[in-house]
Amino acid sequence: MTPIRPGGRTANVRAAVLSATADQLIESGLESVDLAEVARRAGVGKSTVYRRWGTVSALVTDLLADMAETSLPRPDTGSLAEDFRSIANLIQRTLADRRQGPLLAAIIAAATCSPDTARALATFYSVRLKEFAGTVTDGIARGEAPPGTDPSDAIRYLSAPLYYRLLTGNGAPDDRDANRAARAALAAIAAGVFTG
Amino acid sequence: MTPIRPGGRTANVRAAVLSATADQLIESGLESVDLAEVARRAGVGKSTVYRRWGTVSALVTDLLADMAETSLPRPDTGSLAEDFRSIANLIQRTLADRRQGPLLAAIIAAATCSPDTARALATFYSVRLKEFAGTVTDGIARGEAPPGTDPSDAIRYLSAPLYYRLLTGNGAPDDRDANRAARAALAAIAAGVFTG
């Protein structure tokens, strides 16, 4: 595993292995992920997977690192309200996506019984929160949010209703959910809920 | 299975079987739940469990029905803000409880790959939402929330940040999270986010 994705064969192997890991997670969850089967599906040698990753936990951690690296940059429309609508739409589309939605749900499910996966998941969300936090800091600078607003908390409250909908058995969130999530988080910001 | 819990032996058998089901879910997730093992742990005959429940799915559905039946009634303090703080504290304590928290996480995890469990979980939350909705309807009647506020949506937004925290690998929510969740939901209600 390398923190910076190198080009060429190494990158291709990683992409194929992580894609096969994601397929297995979506199909039948963490317990079904098997290094030999991942190698077979990825079309790479078993020894490569054992040498570079070694454990299922390392595979899932690297998959989450890759998802964080390849996620879209934050919106920067010049308006906090517009940025929040855009982030809510991005999360909604991700959770409603036929591959990304079930993959995130499978990883969240795995995290409930695997402390390693829980740590990797927390790291993934902390990378995404850092990326999105700039919308709130810029909003504060423009006078659109009270000084002292905690950017991470504000982004968490924006995301939470969309994840809650996905995970409580009611299916993926839709456009209306995204719109309400953005308006609710903006109202809480304006009321000073995330300061101090 | 009977909708109304009968007294005596039938009730004792159900309680023992559902408790054994919960134990297995907490220990190792839905896939590990086994009717014969549930019967053994509950100290009841295998044929009773096979005859009365028959499938793992029926056991988990009945467990969720029992959790909904035995949940606490809604607070009724005469103030929407106070009721919301009380509900947020109740959810926070449940998710931080050493047995209830892991049990709910295990059921949510199971729901991501079992449509039957997802349906039972959605029913469980809809029962809880109906119970809590009265706080919002009463709040509207007292002029503490805009007319037309959707009670279920308001309660979902109150719950979501607490579940989100539990499920994104950051551990159970604490008092501060409960307080922020209540204030954020009240700000969104006041801003009219849940009307129309």
Side-chain angles (χ1 to χ4, degrees):
Chain A
M1 278 190 288
T2 49
I4 295 159
R5 178 183 291 214
R9 188 176 140 68
T10 310
N12 291 343
V13 166
R14 185 183 180 218
V17 165
L18 296 184
S19 174
T21 304
D23 288 342
Q24 276 210 293
L25 273 170
I26 293 169
E27 280 166 31
S28 37
L30 187 72
E31 276 176 48
S32 77
V33 179
D34 174 80
L35 270 65
E37 175 63 11
V38 163
R40 196 192 61 76
R41 290 183 183 211
V44 306
K46 263 198 282 188
S47 64
T48 302
V49 175
Y50 280 97
R51 198 176 58 243
R52 284 190 56 190
W53 288 275
T55 62
V56 169
S57 197
L59 274 176
V60 175
T61 301
D62 199 30
L63 174 61
L64 281 163
D66 182 65
M67 287 163 66
E69 286 158 26
T70 57
S71 289
L72 291 172
R74 74 175 179 91
D76 189 5
T77 63
S79 145
L80 179 62
E82 205 50 57
D83 283 354
F84 262 41
R85 270 191 289 273
S86 171
I87 294 173
N89 283 329
L90 172 66
I91 296 172
Q92 182 270 320
R93 283 196 309 273
T94 303
L95 297 183
D97 181 86
R98 289 181 65 170
R99 184 172 166 88
Q100 294 295 313
L103 177 58
L104 275 167
I107 296 173
I108 289 169
T112 65
C113 56
S114 156
D116 282 343
T117 305
R119 268 189 294 276
L121 187 64
T123 303
F124 168 75
Y125 283 114
S126 114
V127 170
R128 294 308 288 152
L129 281 175
K130 245 178 231 157
E131 172 68 25
F132 288 138
T135 59
V136 180
T137 347
D138 287 358
I140 297 171
R142 286 190 303 258
E144 298 170 304
T149 299
D150 180 329
S152 299
D153 247 14
I155 302 291
R156 270 188 214 106
Y157 276 72
L158 176 62
S159 315
L162 303 170
Y163 277 86
Y164 182 73
R165 186 178 158 97
L166 178 72
L167 294 167
T168 50
N170 289 301
D174 58 19
D175 279 350
R176 181 174 160 283
D177 296 313
N179 185 38
R180 288 208 158 172
R183 290 175 60 211
L186 289 163
I189 288 176
V193 172
F194 308 122
T195 59
Chain B
M1 281 190 286
T2 49
I4 295 156
R5 178 183 290 217
R9 186 174 141 68
T10 310
N12 291 343
V13 166
R14 183 181 180 218
V17 166
L18 296 185
S19 175
T21 304
D23 288 342
Q24 276 210 292
L25 272 171
I26 293 168
E27 280 167 32
S28 36
L30 187 71
E31 277 176 47
S32 77
V33 178
D34 174 82
L35 270 66
E37 175 64 10
V38 163
R40 196 193 60 76
R41 291 184 182 211
V44 307
K46 262 198 284 189
S47 64
T48 303
V49 175
Y50 280 97
R51 198 176 56 244
R52 282 192 55 192
W53 288 275
T55 63
V56 170
S57 196
L59 275 176
V60 175
T61 301
D62 199 30
L63 173 62
L64 282 162
D66 183 65
M67 287 164 64
E69 286 159 25
T70 57
S71 289
L72 292 172
R74 74 174 179 91
D76 188 6
T77 63
S79 144
L80 179 62
E82 205 49 60
D83 283 354
F84 262 41
R85 270 191 289 274
S86 172
I87 295 174
N89 284 329
L90 172 66
I91 296 172
Q92 182 270 319
R93 284 197 308 275
T94 304
L95 298 183
D97 182 85
R98 288 180 64 171
R99 184 172 165 87
Q100 294 296 314
L103 177 59
L104 275 167
I107 295 173
I108 289 169
T112 65
C113 56
S114 156
D116 282 344
T117 306
R119 268 188 294 275
L121 186 65
T123 303
F124 168 75
Y125 283 114
S126 113
V127 171
R128 295 308 288 150
L129 281 175
K130 244 178 232 159
E131 172 67 25
F132 289 138
T135 60
V136 180
T137 348
D138 287 359
I140 296 171
R142 286 189 305 257
E144 297 171 305
T149 299
D150 179 331
S152 299
D153 247 14
I155 301 292
R156 271 189 212 106
Y157 277 70
L158 175 61
S159 315
L162 304 169
Y163 276 86
Y164 183 74
R165 186 180 157 96
L166 177 73
L167 295 168
T168 50
N170 289 300
D174 58 19
D175 280 350
R176 181 175 162 283
D177 295 314
N179 185 38
R180 288 208 158 173
R183 290 176 60 214
L186 290 163
I189 288 175
V193 172
F194 307 121
T195 59

mmCIF file with all atom_site columns, all heavy atoms in Angstrom, chain B residues 82-102:
data_model
loop_
_atom_site.group_PDB
_atom_site.id
_atom_site.type_symbol
_atom_site.label_atom_id
_atom_site.label_alt_id
_atom_site.label_comp_id
_atom_site.label_asym_id
_atom_site.label_entity_id
_atom_site.label_seq_id
_atom_site.pdbx_PDB_ins_code
_atom_site.Cartn_x
_atom_site.Cartn_y
_atom_site.Cartn_z
_atom_site.occupancy
_atom_site.B_iso_or_equiv
_atom_site.pdbx_formal_charge
_atom_site.auth_seq_id
_atom_site.auth_comp_id
_atom_site.auth_asym_id
_atom_site.auth_atom_id
_atom_site.pdbx_PDB_model_num
ATOM 1   N N   . GLU B 1 82  ? -38.713 21.285 25.681 1.00 0.00 ? 82  GLU B N   1
ATOM 2   C CA  . GLU B 1 82  ? -38.412 20.354 26.772 1.00 0.00 ? 82  GLU B CA  1
ATOM 3   C C   . GLU B 1 82  ? -38.668 18.905 26.331 1.00 0.00 ? 82  GLU B C   1
ATOM 4   O O   . GLU B 1 82  ? -37.875 18.008 26.615 1.00 0.00 ? 82  GLU B O   1
ATOM 5   C CB  . GLU B 1 82  ? -39.301 20.722 27.975 1.00 0.00 ? 82  GLU B CB  1
ATOM 6   C CG  . GLU B 1 82  ? -38.769 20.310 29.325 1.00 0.00 ? 82  GLU B CG  1
ATOM 7   C CD  . GLU B 1 82  ? -37.325 20.717 29.531 1.00 0.00 ? 82  GLU B CD  1
ATOM 8   O OE1 . GLU B 1 82  ? -37.012 21.925 29.472 1.00 0.00 ? 82  GLU B OE1 1
ATOM 9   O OE2 . GLU B 1 82  ? -36.504 19.799 29.728 1.00 0.00 ? 82  GLU B OE2 1
ATOM 10  N N   . ASP B 1 83  ? -39.775 18.681 25.630 1.00 0.00 ? 83  ASP B N   1
ATOM 11  C CA  . ASP B 1 83  ? -40.077 17.335 25.117 1.00 0.00 ? 83  ASP B CA  1
ATOM 12  C C   . ASP B 1 83  ? -38.955 16.861 24.177 1.00 0.00 ? 83  ASP B C   1
ATOM 13  O O   . ASP B 1 83  ? -38.538 15.704 24.233 1.00 0.00 ? 83  ASP B O   1
ATOM 14  C CB  . ASP B 1 83  ? -41.407 17.330 24.340 1.00 0.00 ? 83  ASP B CB  1
ATOM 15  C CG  . ASP B 1 83  ? -42.626 17.338 25.265 1.00 0.00 ? 83  ASP B CG  1
ATOM 16  O OD1 . ASP B 1 83  ? -42.435 17.234 26.493 1.00 0.00 ? 83  ASP B OD1 1
ATOM 17  O OD2 . ASP B 1 83  ? -43.756 17.461 24.745 1.00 0.00 ? 83  ASP B OD2 1
ATOM 18  N N   . PHE B 1 84  ? -38.473 17.754 23.296 1.00 0.00 ? 84  PHE B N   1
ATOM 19  C CA  . PHE B 1 84  ? -37.427 17.371 22.338 1.00 0.00 ? 84  PHE B CA  1
ATOM 20  C C   . PHE B 1 84  ? -36.121 17.047 23.057 1.00 0.00 ? 84  PHE B C   1
ATOM 21  O O   . PHE B 1 84  ? -35.420 16.107 22.696 1.00 0.00 ? 84  PHE B O   1
ATOM 22  C CB  . PHE B 1 84  ? -37.234 18.468 21.271 1.00 0.00 ? 84  PHE B CB  1
ATOM 23  C CG  . PHE B 1 84  ? -37.977 18.157 19.995 1.00 0.00 ? 84  PHE B CG  1
ATOM 24  C CD1 . PHE B 1 84  ? -39.258 17.629 20.037 1.00 0.00 ? 84  PHE B CD1 1
ATOM 25  C CD2 . PHE B 1 84  ? -37.406 18.380 18.748 1.00 0.00 ? 84  PHE B CD2 1
ATOM 26  C CE1 . PHE B 1 84  ? -39.952 17.315 18.869 1.00 0.00 ? 84  PHE B CE1 1
ATOM 27  C CE2 . PHE B 1 84  ? -38.084 18.065 17.579 1.00 0.00 ? 84  PHE B CE2 1
ATOM 28  C CZ  . PHE B 1 84  ? -39.364 17.541 17.631 1.00 0.00 ? 84  PHE B CZ  1
ATOM 29  N N   . ARG B 1 85  ? -35.791 17.825 24.069 1.00 0.00 ? 85  ARG B N   1
ATOM 30  C CA  . ARG B 1 85  ? -34.576 17.517 24.853 1.00 0.00 ? 85  ARG B CA  1
ATOM 31  C C   . ARG B 1 85  ? -34.722 16.144 25.504 1.00 0.00 ? 85  ARG B C   1
ATOM 32  O O   . ARG B 1 85  ? -33.786 15.353 25.534 1.00 0.00 ? 85  ARG B O   1
ATOM 33  C CB  . ARG B 1 85  ? -34.333 18.590 25.926 1.00 0.00 ? 85  ARG B CB  1
ATOM 34  C CG  . ARG B 1 85  ? -33.470 19.745 25.427 1.00 0.00 ? 85  ARG B CG  1
ATOM 35  C CD  . ARG B 1 85  ? -33.021 20.656 26.584 1.00 0.00 ? 85  ARG B CD  1
ATOM 36  N NE  . ARG B 1 85  ? -34.140 21.440 27.109 1.00 0.00 ? 85  ARG B NE  1
ATOM 37  C CZ  . ARG B 1 85  ? -34.525 22.619 26.587 1.00 0.00 ? 85  ARG B CZ  1
ATOM 38  N NH1 . ARG B 1 85  ? -33.888 23.137 25.562 1.00 0.00 ? 85  ARG B NH1 1
ATOM 39  N NH2 . ARG B 1 85  ? -35.530 23.283 27.121 1.00 0.00 ? 85  ARG B NH2 1
ATOM 40  N N   . SER B 1 86  ? -35.922 15.876 25.988 1.00 0.00 ? 86  SER B N   1
ATOM 41  C CA  . SER B 1 86  ? -36.173 14.608 26.667 1.00 0.00 ? 86  SER B CA  1
ATOM 42  C C   . SER B 1 86  ? -36.083 13.421 25.679 1.00 0.00 ? 86  SER B C   1
ATOM 43  O O   . SER B 1 86  ? -35.492 12.378 25.995 1.00 0.00 ? 86  SER B O   1
ATOM 44  C CB  . SER B 1 86  ? -37.549 14.707 27.336 1.00 0.00 ? 86  SER B CB  1
ATOM 45  O OG  . SER B 1 86  ? -37.939 13.482 27.846 1.00 0.00 ? 86  SER B OG  1
ATOM 46  N N   . ILE B 1 87  ? -36.652 13.584 24.479 1.00 0.00 ? 87  ILE B N   1
ATOM 47  C CA  . ILE B 1 87  ? -36.569 12.518 23.474 1.00 0.00 ? 87  ILE B CA  1
ATOM 48  C C   . ILE B 1 87  ? -35.115 12.306 23.037 1.00 0.00 ? 87  ILE B C   1
ATOM 49  O O   . ILE B 1 87  ? -34.641 11.177 22.920 1.00 0.00 ? 87  ILE B O   1
ATOM 50  C CB  . ILE B 1 87  ? -37.456 12.839 22.238 1.00 0.00 ? 87  ILE B CB  1
ATOM 51  C CG1 . ILE B 1 87  ? -38.940 12.853 22.639 1.00 0.00 ? 87  ILE B CG1 1
ATOM 52  C CG2 . ILE B 1 87  ? -37.221 11.827 21.122 1.00 0.00 ? 87  ILE B CG2 1
ATOM 53  C CD1 . ILE B 1 87  ? -39.883 13.315 21.521 1.00 0.00 ? 87  ILE B CD1 1
ATOM 54  N N   . ALA B 1 88  ? -34.397 13.407 22.822 1.00 0.00 ? 88  ALA B N   1
ATOM 55  C CA  . ALA B 1 88  ? -32.981 13.301 22.418 1.00 0.00 ? 88  ALA B CA  1
ATOM 56  C C   . ALA B 1 88  ? -32.178 12.573 23.496 1.00 0.00 ? 88  ALA B C   1
ATOM 57  O O   . ALA B 1 88  ? -31.335 11.719 23.192 1.00 0.00 ? 88  ALA B O   1
ATOM 58  C CB  . ALA B 1 88  ? -32.396 14.686 22.142 1.00 0.00 ? 88  ALA B CB  1
ATOM 59  N N   . ASN B 1 89  ? -32.456 12.879 24.754 1.00 0.00 ? 89  ASN B N   1
ATOM 60  C CA  . ASN B 1 89  ? -31.754 12.198 25.848 1.00 0.00 ? 89  ASN B CA  1
ATOM 61  C C   . ASN B 1 89  ? -32.099 10.714 25.894 1.00 0.00 ? 89  ASN B C   1
ATOM 62  O O   . ASN B 1 89  ? -31.229 9.880  26.136 1.00 0.00 ? 89  ASN B O   1
ATOM 63  C CB  . ASN B 1 89  ? -32.091 12.841 27.200 1.00 0.00 ? 89  ASN B CB  1
ATOM 64  C CG  . ASN B 1 89  ? -31.346 14.158 27.379 1.00 0.00 ? 89  ASN B CG  1
ATOM 65  O OD1 . ASN B 1 89  ? -30.239 14.311 26.871 1.00 0.00 ? 89  ASN B OD1 1
ATOM 66  N ND2 . ASN B 1 89  ? -31.952 15.102 28.081 1.00 0.00 ? 89  ASN B ND2 1
ATOM 67  N N   . LEU B 1 90  ? -33.380 10.393 25.649 1.00 0.00 ? 90  LEU B N   1
ATOM 68  C CA  . LEU B 1 90  ? -33.819 8.998  25.644 1.00 0.00 ? 90  LEU B CA  1
ATOM 69  C C   . LEU B 1 90  ? -33.099 8.218  24.524 1.00 0.00 ? 90  LEU B C   1
ATOM 70  O O   . LEU B 1 90  ? -32.583 7.116  24.757 1.00 0.00 ? 90  LEU B O   1
ATOM 71  C CB  . LEU B 1 90  ? -35.343 8.944  25.444 1.00 0.00 ? 90  LEU B CB  1
ATOM 72  C CG  . LEU B 1 90  ? -35.948 7.558  25.219 1.00 0.00 ? 90  LEU B CG  1
ATOM 73  C CD1 . LEU B 1 90  ? -35.804 6.705  26.466 1.00 0.00 ? 90  LEU B CD1 1
ATOM 74  C CD2 . LEU B 1 90  ? -37.435 7.667  24.823 1.00 0.00 ? 90  LEU B CD2 1
ATOM 75  N N   . ILE B 1 91  ? -33.052 8.802  23.333 1.00 0.00 ? 91  ILE B N   1
ATOM 76  C CA  . ILE B 1 91  ? -32.376 8.128  22.207 1.00 0.00 ? 91  ILE B CA  1
ATOM 77  C C   . ILE B 1 91  ? -30.877 7.996  22.507 1.00 0.00 ? 91  ILE B C   1
ATOM 78  O O   . ILE B 1 91  ? -30.275 6.950  22.286 1.00 0.00 ? 91  ILE B O   1
ATOM 79  C CB  . ILE B 1 91  ? -32.609 8.901  20.885 1.00 0.00 ? 91  ILE B CB  1
ATOM 80  C CG1 . ILE B 1 91  ? -34.107 8.890  20.525 1.00 0.00 ? 91  ILE B CG1 1
ATOM 81  C CG2 . ILE B 1 91  ? -31.772 8.311  19.752 1.00 0.00 ? 91  ILE B CG2 1
ATOM 82  C CD1 . ILE B 1 91  ? -34.473 9.787  19.350 1.00 0.00 ? 91  ILE B CD1 1
ATOM 83  N N   . GLN B 1 92  ? -30.291 9.067  23.026 1.00 0.00 ? 92  GLN B N   1
ATOM 84  C CA  . GLN B 1 92  ? -28.856 9.038  23.349 1.00 0.00 ? 92  GLN B CA  1
ATOM 85  C C   . GLN B 1 92  ? -28.557 7.937  24.368 1.00 0.00 ? 92  GLN B C   1
ATOM 86  O O   . GLN B 1 92  ? -27.615 7.160  24.185 1.00 0.00 ? 92  GLN B O   1
ATOM 87  C CB  . GLN B 1 92  ? -28.435 10.421 23.888 1.00 0.00 ? 92  GLN B CB  1
ATOM 88  C CG  . GLN B 1 92  ? -26.953 10.552 24.217 1.00 0.00 ? 92  GLN B CG  1
ATOM 89  C CD  . GLN B 1 92  ? -26.647 10.171 25.665 1.00 0.00 ? 92  GLN B CD  1
ATOM 90  O OE1 . GLN B 1 92  ? -27.392 10.520 26.579 1.00 0.00 ? 92  GLN B OE1 1
ATOM 91  N NE2 . GLN B 1 92  ? -25.557 9.454  25.870 1.00 0.00 ? 92  GLN B NE2 1
ATOM 92  N N   . ARG B 1 93  ? -29.379 7.846  25.410 1.00 0.00 ? 93  ARG B N   1
ATOM 93  C CA  . ARG B 1 93  ? -29.138 6.814  26.433 1.00 0.00 ? 93  ARG B CA  1
ATOM 94  C C   . ARG B 1 93  ? -29.316 5.416  25.854 1.00 0.00 ? 93  ARG B C   1
ATOM 95  O O   . ARG B 1 93  ? -28.573 4.496  26.188 1.00 0.00 ? 93  ARG B O   1
ATOM 96  C CB  . ARG B 1 93  ? -30.082 7.003  27.628 1.00 0.00 ? 93  ARG B CB  1
ATOM 97  C CG  . ARG B 1 93  ? -29.694 8.157  28.549 1.00 0.00 ? 93  ARG B CG  1
ATOM 98  C CD  . ARG B 1 93  ? -30.392 8.034  29.926 1.00 0.00 ? 93  ARG B CD  1
ATOM 99  N NE  . ARG B 1 93  ? -31.836 7.860  29.793 1.00 0.00 ? 93  ARG B NE  1
ATOM 100 C CZ  . ARG B 1 93  ? -32.711 8.865  29.666 1.00 0.00 ? 93  ARG B CZ  1
ATOM 101 N NH1 . ARG B 1 93  ? -32.286 10.110 29.666 1.00 0.00 ? 93  ARG B NH1 1
ATOM 102 N NH2 . ARG B 1 93  ? -33.999 8.620  29.551 1.00 0.00 ? 93  ARG B NH2 1
ATOM 103 N N   . THR B 1 94  ? -30.310 5.262  24.972 1.00 0.00 ? 94  THR B N   1
ATOM 104 C CA  . THR B 1 94  ? -30.534 3.959  24.338 1.00 0.00 ? 94  THR B CA  1
ATOM 105 C C   . THR B 1 94  ? -29.319 3.561  23.504 1.00 0.00 ? 94  THR B C   1
ATOM 106 O O   . THR B 1 94  ? -28.825 2.431  23.598 1.00 0.00 ? 94  THR B O   1
ATOM 107 C CB  . THR B 1 94  ? -31.796 4.005  23.447 1.00 0.00 ? 94  THR B CB  1
ATOM 108 O OG1 . THR B 1 94  ? -32.899 4.423  24.251 1.00 0.00 ? 94  THR B OG1 1
ATOM 109 C CG2 . THR B 1 94  ? -32.095 2.644  22.847 1.00 0.00 ? 94  THR B CG2 1
ATOM 110 N N   . LEU B 1 95  ? -28.830 4.484  22.677 1.00 0.00 ? 95  LEU B N   1
ATOM 111 C CA  . LEU B 1 95  ? -27.711 4.166  21.783 1.00 0.00 ? 95  LEU B CA  1
ATOM 112 C C   . LEU B 1 95  ? -26.408 3.977  22.560 1.00 0.00 ? 95  LEU B C   1
ATOM 113 O O   . LEU B 1 95  ? -25.513 3.260  22.123 1.00 0.00 ? 95  LEU B O   1
ATOM 114 C CB  . LEU B 1 95  ? -27.544 5.250  20.707 1.00 0.00 ? 95  LEU B CB  1
ATOM 115 C CG  . LEU B 1 95  ? -28.748 5.430  19.762 1.00 0.00 ? 95  LEU B CG  1
ATOM 116 C CD1 . LEU B 1 95  ? -28.435 6.488  18.698 1.00 0.00 ? 95  LEU B CD1 1
ATOM 117 C CD2 . LEU B 1 95  ? -29.142 4.119  19.100 1.00 0.00 ? 95  LEU B CD2 1
ATOM 118 N N   . ALA B 1 96  ? -26.297 4.625  23.720 1.00 0.00 ? 96  ALA B N   1
ATOM 119 C CA  . ALA B 1 96  ? -25.083 4.489  24.532 1.00 0.00 ? 96  ALA B CA  1
ATOM 120 C C   . ALA B 1 96  ? -25.182 3.293  25.490 1.00 0.00 ? 96  ALA B C   1
ATOM 121 O O   . ALA B 1 96  ? -24.193 2.906  26.107 1.00 0.00 ? 96  ALA B O   1
ATOM 122 C CB  . ALA B 1 96  ? -24.827 5.779  25.314 1.00 0.00 ? 96  ALA B CB  1
ATOM 123 N N   . ASP B 1 97  ? -26.378 2.706  25.602 1.00 0.00 ? 97  ASP B N   1
ATOM 124 C CA  . ASP B 1 97  ? -26.571 1.554  26.498 1.00 0.00 ? 97  ASP B CA  1
ATOM 125 C C   . ASP B 1 97  ? -25.767 0.357  25.987 1.00 0.00 ? 97  ASP B C   1
ATOM 126 O O   . ASP B 1 97  ? -25.722 0.084  24.787 1.00 0.00 ? 97  ASP B O   1
ATOM 127 C CB  . ASP B 1 97  ? -28.070 1.205  26.550 1.00 0.00 ? 97  ASP B CB  1
ATOM 128 C CG  . ASP B 1 97  ? -28.364 0.044  27.487 1.00 0.00 ? 97  ASP B CG  1
ATOM 129 O OD1 . ASP B 1 97  ? -28.512 0.285  28.691 1.00 0.00 ? 97  ASP B OD1 1
ATOM 130 O OD2 . ASP B 1 97  ? -28.418 -1.120 27.006 1.00 0.00 ? 97  ASP B OD2 1
ATOM 131 N N   . ARG B 1 98  ? -25.155 -0.360 26.922 1.00 0.00 ? 98  ARG B N   1
ATOM 132 C CA  . ARG B 1 98  ? -24.241 -1.441 26.520 1.00 0.00 ? 98  ARG B CA  1
ATOM 133 C C   . ARG B 1 98  ? -24.944 -2.596 25.835 1.00 0.00 ? 98  ARG B C   1
ATOM 134 O O   . ARG B 1 98  ? -24.310 -3.396 25.162 1.00 0.00 ? 98  ARG B O   1
ATOM 135 C CB  . ARG B 1 98  ? -23.471 -1.941 27.749 1.00 0.00 ? 98  ARG B CB  1
ATOM 136 C CG  . ARG B 1 98  ? -22.441 -0.906 28.202 1.00 0.00 ? 98  ARG B CG  1
ATOM 137 C CD  . ARG B 1 98  ? -21.668 -1.371 29.392 1.00 0.00 ? 98  ARG B CD  1
ATOM 138 N NE  . ARG B 1 98  ? -20.870 -2.549 29.096 1.00 0.00 ? 98  ARG B NE  1
ATOM 139 C CZ  . ARG B 1 98  ? -19.968 -3.060 29.919 1.00 0.00 ? 98  ARG B CZ  1
ATOM 140 N NH1 . ARG B 1 98  ? -19.744 -2.496 31.078 1.00 0.00 ? 98  ARG B NH1 1
ATOM 141 N NH2 . ARG B 1 98  ? -19.273 -4.128 29.585 1.00 0.00 ? 98  ARG B NH2 1
ATOM 142 N N   . ARG B 1 99  ? -26.251 -2.717 26.049 1.00 0.00 ? 99  ARG B N   1
ATOM 143 C CA  . ARG B 1 99  ? -26.972 -3.787 25.367 1.00 0.00 ? 99  ARG B CA  1
ATOM 144 C C   . ARG B 1 99  ? -27.814 -3.238 24.202 1.00 0.00 ? 99  ARG B C   1
ATOM 145 O O   . ARG B 1 99  ? -27.744 -3.740 23.094 1.00 0.00 ? 99  ARG B O   1
ATOM 146 C CB  . ARG B 1 99  ? -27.875 -4.532 26.371 1.00 0.00 ? 99  ARG B CB  1
ATOM 147 C CG  . ARG B 1 99  ? -28.584 -5.729 25.765 1.00 0.00 ? 99  ARG B CG  1
ATOM 148 C CD  . ARG B 1 99  ? -29.310 -6.552 26.827 1.00 0.00 ? 99  ARG B CD  1
ATOM 149 N NE  . ARG B 1 99  ? -30.251 -7.464 26.204 1.00 0.00 ? 99  ARG B NE  1
ATOM 150 C CZ  . ARG B 1 99  ? -29.931 -8.676 25.764 1.00 0.00 ? 99  ARG B CZ  1
ATOM 151 N NH1 . ARG B 1 99  ? -28.697 -9.111 25.883 1.00 0.00 ? 99  ARG B NH1 1
ATOM 152 N NH2 . ARG B 1 99  ? -30.829 -9.442 25.185 1.00 0.00 ? 99  ARG B NH2 1
ATOM 153 N N   . GLN B 1 100 ? -28.601 -2.186 24.462 1.00 0.00 ? 100 GLN B N   1
ATOM 154 C CA  . GLN B 1 100 ? -29.499 -1.643 23.439 1.00 0.00 ? 100 GLN B CA  1
ATOM 155 C C   . GLN B 1 100 ? -28.731 -1.057 22.239 1.00 0.00 ? 100 GLN B C   1
ATOM 156 O O   . GLN B 1 100 ? -29.166 -1.218 21.098 1.00 0.00 ? 100 GLN B O   1
ATOM 157 C CB  . GLN B 1 100 ? -30.387 -0.544 24.048 1.00 0.00 ? 100 GLN B CB  1
ATOM 158 C CG  . GLN B 1 100 ? -31.368 -1.038 25.087 1.00 0.00 ? 100 GLN B CG  1
ATOM 159 C CD  . GLN B 1 100 ? -32.407 -1.994 24.508 1.00 0.00 ? 100 GLN B CD  1
ATOM 160 O OE1 . GLN B 1 100 ? -32.977 -1.734 23.462 1.00 0.00 ? 100 GLN B OE1 1
ATOM 161 N NE2 . GLN B 1 100 ? -32.622 -3.113 25.163 1.00 0.00 ? 100 GLN B NE2 1
ATOM 162 N N   . GLY B 1 101 ? -27.608 -0.378 22.512 1.00 0.00 ? 101 GLY B N   1
ATOM 163 C CA  . GLY B 1 101 ? -26.843 0.249  21.423 1.00 0.00 ? 101 GLY B CA  1
ATOM 164 C C   . GLY B 1 101 ? -26.332 -0.786 20.433 1.00 0.00 ? 101 GLY B C   1
ATOM 165 O O   . GLY B 1 101 ? -26.645 -0.728 19.232 1.00 0.00 ? 101 GLY B O   1
ATOM 166 N N   . PRO B 1 102 ? -25.552 -1.775 20.910 1.00 0.00 ? 102 PRO B N   1
ATOM 167 C CA  . PRO B 1 102 ? -25.068 -2.815 19.998 1.00 0.00 ? 102 PRO B CA  1
ATOM 168 C C   . PRO B 1 102 ? -26.199 -3.611 19.341 1.00 0.00 ? 102 PRO B C   1
ATOM 169 O O   . PRO B 1 102 ? -26.066 -4.035 18.193 1.00 0.00 ? 102 PRO B O   1
ATOM 170 C CB  . PRO B 1 102 ? -24.228 -3.716 20.913 1.00 0.00 ? 102 PRO B CB  1
ATOM 171 C CG  . PRO B 1 102 ? -23.793 -2.824 22.028 1.00 0.00 ? 102 PRO B CG  1
ATOM 172 C CD  . PRO B 1 102 ? -24.922 -1.856 22.235 1.00 0.00 ? 102 PRO B CD  1
#
